[in-house]
Structure formats: structure tokens, C-alpha cells
Amino acid sequence: MITASPTAPARERAMPGWLRRVATPKTLIIVVVAGLIGYLALVPLYYLIWGTFFDANGFTMGGFARAYGDPRVGGMIGNSLWFAIGAAVLSLAVGTALAYLNVRTDVPFKGLFFAASIIPLIIPGILYTIAWIFLASPDIGLLNKVIEPIFGPGFFDVFTVWGMVWVEGLHLSPIVFLLMVAAFRSMDPSLEESALMSGASRWQVFRRVTMPLTRPAIVAAVLIMVVRSLESFEVPALLGLQNGIYVFTSRIYFVLRTYPPDLAAAGALAVGLLVLAVIGVAISNLVGRSSKNYQTVTGKGFRPRPMELGKWRPVMGGAIVVYFFLTVVGPLLVLLYTSLLKFYQAPSTEAFASMSLDNYSELFHISAATTALKNSLLLGVGSATLVMALMAVGAWMVVRSRIPGRQLVDYFSFTPLVVPGLVLGLALSFVYLRSPVPIYGTIFILLIAYCTRYMPYGMRYAVTSMHQISSELEESAQVSGASWWQTFRRVLLPLLSPGLLAGWIYILVVSFRELSSSILLYSPGNEVLSILIFEQYENGQFTVLAALGVVMVLTLAVLVVIAYKLGAKVGLRQD
Amino acid sequence: MLRINNLVKTFDGERRRRHSHAATPEEARVFAVNDVSFNVENGQLFTLLGPSGCGKTTTLRSIAGLERPDSGTIEVGGRVLFSTNEGKKPVNVPANERGLGMVFQSYAIWPHMSVFDNVAFPLQVKRRGDRVSRKEISERVMRVLETMELANFADRQATKLSGGQQQRLALARALVIEPPLLLLDEPLSNLDAKLRESLRYELKRVQRELGITSVYVTHDQVEALALSNSIAVMRNGNIVQLGRPREIYENPNCRFVAEFIGTSNFLSGNVVSKDDDRYTVNTVDGQLVLDSAATLPIGTDVIVSVRPEAVEVSTTSRAGEVPNEWKGTVLTRAYLGDSLDHVVGLGKHELRTRGNPSTSIEPGTTVYLRMDPAKLVLVPVD
Ligand SMILES: Nc1ncnc2c1ncn2[C@@H]1O[C@H](COP(=O)(O)OP(=O)(O)OP(=O)(O)O)[C@@H](O)[C@H]1O
Ligand SMILES: [Mg+2]
């Protein structure tokens, strides 16, 4: 046709106009960010389900049958619950008692609490577990050597469920401590004082006033700790496998390590673990929401006054020193001690005489060590940067925008919080084993895993910072004629930067500890530090491992102090 | 009934050390209560009154046993609760064995208990020997709840009560063990003005009906004047004046008390002559004669405190008939409902007067101020 109908050009002009309106940098960025968040959160779960329930012939329950048909599965579930609940109860008892002493009493050595509460960030779980093996293994444990003359050999045995409960519980207790400190701080102390004035004894006050009022916090803490212990990999793998004590995570690992690996059965176990984790988190949310708001009028008389412990003060002080030694000094010292030896041995004059820094200098000559350090740094910096960049935009969507479906962005970014690291690792291998893009076997799959795992933390930092910036600052930039992107880059980002930086360092720190996802995704040449330590442990290279551990702890300590300072500045607490 | 002698309580000043010039922690110590002594007779309501931070709460909490004083003695009904007397064994009865009743500023109602349970708690936690039966607990709780007009709410969750009801509940809980002494820390300060007034009388009624000895802390002078049998005005950890409400109001012994209680005009001057109790004082604005029991030599610098209601404003002069008549000009007036204030310019200063609303004078009018020598107060310069 030569003569065009009058409507055609009009429509032609309308289309680019519509496109131009939609394809602004703003929409592009938002769509890309929302898409990435959704992709990272959902795709692994989808493939996990798919890989578990479908094989070449379609739907199948074969994986489930093989995983749960095993006669040992009952024991495995029992051990999982025993371990998880035991560790949760231990961490709760210790953490709550410490928090109460710290907030409400005149207990001595309050300075130690600070150190004890940031240690879990500094000692990665794998090192903590190995340190306890050095301390309480029946054959080589130093504690056993010390008490051998009295109790005979092998009195402590860390390779039991009780040993696992002990190590995991102690490692989690600082987190409970932080949660409960917040709970006790927010309680009006005159509620306790009025009970005291009514003639109640200390114990009656604690049982009938303090405990009921902090119950919501306690329930939440216990559930979170149960979920975290269920997800824990380091402790069950290093302590349980030796004596054939399986829990979900170590069983999944075992199934994947036997040849040929039964992916569907591992998937079935992973789904089971995921369901347990989801139930735990769901209950804790439910409890959190339905718990009555106990906020009462607080007058200006609100002034937390420490309770005098009287004759119990030295006793409690002693208990705190013991706790500090058990959780901090003991594990660190034994690592340091081991790192100076030629071969692992109990302390003796010869042992001390043979001490040297050889293991440290050897670290420079092991190519695997430098590679692992490089990889860990690369992954830490990479994932921290990517996550914080994504979450800066994500937080803006959730907090500021009126975009429909923004709540989904919020949900998706927090989804990985309930996915155990090992499950995520498995799910990602399901995705990228099938993917035509050659990512499996490269460091990129680790990067994807890290980004996914740390998305929730990044979101939390970004959202908190975003809430602290008045929306009027943004609006005034818009009124001044700035575009969305200009406003974001010139006003929001600079204001957000302290919070984003704190989140960045936090992610960098925790990424050094990552083991449970990496263990399923790494390939030779792509080891990270925690994997290297795991390998060296399996090879029995205790002394070099200890040296590597000491270096790692020192590096992390510096990073954590910076993160803590920055976090305090933007009003965030780490856990 | 209650005897307090030489009570001292200090706090570490560590937190402020960075900002103060104190070199040592000793120098930085805060003397929250500094040598306070007073007695309260049986059935009396005694008030600690003073500005924020003067140590009222600290004194009260020391009596309660929630704070451990540095030194001094505290005695209730002949029983020594705290003592650091030299030579004798130090005594410090723990708070939960003192058996006193206390109402907190924040009420401290336990949110996880019902109204009934809140009141029953002090009876339930009694020691084995003194424990009362379930039936008696229930009876006693209901009796107290009835006195406080809360009986209908017995089963309600305590947090579901209004502010005034929570306040009464806190009082009921303090009274249920029939304590020999009731301690109240600003119990009305969280309520709005209207409710505060009605509860003030309610409190007075209960206190008088039960004849319970009470120590009441407040920074509200109206409350103190309305409720108390005697008042101790505190400042920086010290009692500056102790007396019946009327004495405190009409005869403040220093400018601080006069300023803190009610409103007052202060005129500085100099004693020019003295005849028994009758002083003549020269001020910048004129001469005043006044009666005072103080013994001050001629030539002393003094301050004359003039309560606004002690000044009579009139458009006609009665010079010669009555002493202390000054001339001035009305600057502004303010209608306050139950009274009317005029601010009168006197050349150099202004004087606030308060009178019946029926007398209202246009600003700009020349007026005559008359001040009764008996109502003027001579305050030493501090
Ligand atoms: N725990 C404490 N640590 C340090 N200083 C304290 C402490 N408690 C009280 N103080 C100080 O002691 C002084 C007296 O305090 P107190 O609470 O008795 O005042 P108050 O007269 O009750 O004041 P308000 O009317 O504001 O309640 C204040 O300067 C206060 O800062
Ligand atoms: Mg006070």
C-alpha cells in the first residue's frame, strides 16, 4: 500500500513514546533489581523441588523412598532434634543468665561481656569445632590429658551428641545473650522493684515477674536457635561423622559424598530439613505477633538500677570468668598453642621447647593457602559489593516506593534466611548442573551462593538506614528538579553510605566463615579458607591448620571491630 | 513513726567525668542526698517537695530499701531498717523484708497479671509462717479493690485499665498488706490535670480513712500544699525548709522556697529601722513596713517577698490611713477564671497582683497598691 492509513503513523509514534516513558533508567534499574532478587531467592528452591521429585521418567517419590526408607533414618531425625533442641536449650540457659547478670545486676567483669558477645563473629564455626576437638577429644584432647591422672583417659568425649550439643550451644550462646540483653533492657525495672517491695524474694521476682514478661523473647530465641542448630553443618560433620552420628546436614553431605551421589535422595533430605526450618521460623513469627504488647507507661523515673548480688557477687564473677575461658580463651589458646608446634602433642617441656613459627612461614609456601585466601577475599568483596548495591535499590523499593508488589521484594530478599546453607548449596548444584552456561565448577557459582545467603543481611542494613533518612530530603531533591536517578545517586546513596558500608563489612566478615554452601559447590582450585581448613583437618595437618586459623581470626577481629563501630554508628546490632 | 537521721547517698559520677573538671572519681561523686534528717508522726502525710534532681526519689528509695545509702539511720515504728552508726553493727534490711507499701511513678502494674492477681501478689509471696489462706487472700483483695472502686474490674487484664484506674490499682496493691508506711513517688504525675485533681482528693481520703503514715514525693507545689500535714522542701540533696504547708507558703525562709512555692514578687532593699518585730525597709520603688520575727541588724540587705494576692489594687488612694501604699500604672491584665492578675508598673519594676475577677482595671490607669505588713515576708539574701 502506498497511501498509509492515517492511524498507522500515529500508532508508530505512540509506541516509542510509550516505550520511552517506561524504559527510563528508573524502571530499568528497578526491574533488573527486583528480577535479580526474585531469581536468587526462588530459582534454587524451584530446582530443588524439581530435582527431588522429577527424574527422566517424570514425577517420582524414589528419592524420598531411598532417603527416608533407610532404617537409620529414625535415629537420624532423633539425633537432629536432640542436637538442635539440646544446643538451643544450652545456649538459651547460658545466654539468658549472662544477659540478666549483665543488665540487671552489679556483677563484676562487665567488660568481658563485650568480648564474649562478638566472639562468634570472630571464630568461624569450623575453627571453634576443631578447637574443641583439640580440647576434648578422647585421644588427643588437652583437657583429657590434664585430668587423666584423676579420672582416667578419655573422660571427655566431644564425638558424641552431648559433645555436639556442648560445642554448638556455646557457640550460639552469645547470640542469645544479645537478644536477651535487648529484651531485659526494654523492661521497666520498677516492675521488678515493686515485686520486691511486695515482699517477694529474689527468686519469686525472677519466676513470677521477670520470666513471664520476657517469655516472648525467650520463645523467639529458642526457636531461632533450634533452627540454626538444625542448619549447622560444621559441628555435626566434624564431631558426628566420626562415630556415625548423623543429623540432617551431615546425612545430606554423606549421601552426596558416597559414589555415585544420589541427588534425589539428598534433595529429599534437604526438603525435609527445609520444612523443619520453615516450621520453626513460622512459629517464632506467630509467637512474635500474638505475644501481647507488654509496653506499659514508663515515667521519667525510669532508671535501670543494678541489683546488688551481695555475697553471690564473687560466685557470679567466677562463673563469668569460667564462661569466658571456656568460650573464648580456651579455644583461642589451643589454636595458638597448636600453631606453634611441629606436630600435635600434649603440653610438655619438650613441646614448649620445640615451638617455632615454622607453620606460619609454611603458609606462604602452600600455594593452596594463597589461592584460598585470594578466593575468600574475592568472594567476600564481590558478594558484599553486589549485595549492598542490589539492596540499596531493593530497600528503596520496599521503604519508599509505592510500586505494586514491593512487598514481594521484601519477602524474597528474606527467603534465604530460612534456607540452610547446605540446602542452598545442593539446590544451586541442581540449577547449574543443568544450566547450559558453564558456571558449575567455577568460582561464580560460589559467588551466586554467597550473594543469595547474604541478601537478607544486606537488606536489613539497607532498610534500617533507609528508615533513618527523612523522605523529605528526597522530595526536596525532586522538587529542585533532580531526576530519580540523580536523586538516588546524589542524595540517597551518600546518606545511606555509612549503613551500606557497615553492611558491606558485615557480609565480608561472615563470608569468611561460610562453609556449608561452599562444601557442595567448590571444585579443586576454587577452595576458600574454610574449605581449606576442612581439608587440612581431614588430612590431619593440625598444626598448619591452626596457624591458618590464627591468621584468619586475627584478620576477622580487625574487620569485626570496624564493623561493630560502624554498626553502632548507624544504630544496628550484629548477630 | 518514721525517723531518718543524717541520711547520705552518693552516686559515682563516672559517666559525667568526661565533661566535668573533677580529676578523681571522688571529686566527681554526685551527692544525691546530703545529710537529710526528718521525722514523720503516726498517721501523717509527709511530702518531699523540690525541683527535678534534688534527691527526692533517692531519699524515698533509700527508705524503701531499693537504694543503699552511704550512711545514716532509717527507723520505722521503732524498727531499725538501716543504720551505719559507728560502734554498732550495720543494719540493712532488704527491700522485700521491710514490709512497706510503695507506689511507683510508672505504677509498675504487672502487665501479665489480672487486676486481682496484681493485688493478691503481695499476700501470695508472704513467708511460709505468715501465709494467709486462699479464702482470706480473696477477701482481703476484694476489700481493698472495693475501697479503690475497682471491684468490678477484678478479672480484667491489668493493662486494659485506664491511667487513673491503673493508678488506683497500684495504690490498692501497696495497701493490701496494710503496711505501716506508704511511700509514693509522684503517683499523679502521669495523669492529666483534671484527673490529677480528683485523684488527689481520693488519695487524701484513703490516707485519712486508713490513717496510714505516708511519705509523698512530688515536684508539684499545689499537690504538696493540698495533701500534706508537713512538707520538706529539698534542694541539691538538702532539706532547706521543713514545716506545715501554711508556714512554708507564708513564711518561706529563703528566696528559693518563696520562688518554688507559688508565685512571688521579690523586692530587694535594705533595713533602715527596726522596732520590735516591725521593720522598715527601703527598696528602689519605695519604702515598706512589715512584720517579721527575724532578727536582722539595721543596714542588712534583704529581699521582701510579696505574694500577688497580698497586694490590694485600687483606683482610689487611702494614703495616711494605711501603711505601704504605692502608686503605679496598670500595664496588662490577665483573666484566669477564678482570679484576675494585674501587672502594675512602678517606675523601675513591675509587680504582679492577684485579686477577685470583679475588680478589673483598664491598662494605662493609675492605681494605688496597698500591702498588708503582716503578709509581707522578709527573706534573708542567700
Ligand atoms: N543511679 C544513679 N547514678 C548516678 N546519679 C544518679 C543516680 N540516681 C540519681 N542520680 C542523681 O542524683 C540526683 C537526685 O536524683 P533523684 O532521682 O533523687 O531526683 P528527684 O528529686 O527524684 O528528681 P525528679 O523530680 O526529676 O524525679 C540527681 O542529680 C541524679 O542525677
Ligand atoms: Mg524522682
Side-chain angles (χ1 to χ4, degrees), chain B residues 203-215:
Chain B
L203 203 65
K204 183 81 190 163
R205 176 184 69 78
V206 173
Q207 191 264 334
R208 203 174 293 148
E209 267 174 22
L210 302 179
I212 185 164
T213 318
S214 313
V215 179

Side-chain angles (χ1 to χ4, degrees), chain A residues 36 380-392 447-448 451 504 507:
Chain A
L36 274 176
V381 171
S383 60
T385 311
L386 283 174
V387 165
M388 290 325 292
L390 276 182
M391 291 309 140
L447 185 65
I448 293 174
C451 285
W504 189 85
I507 293 177

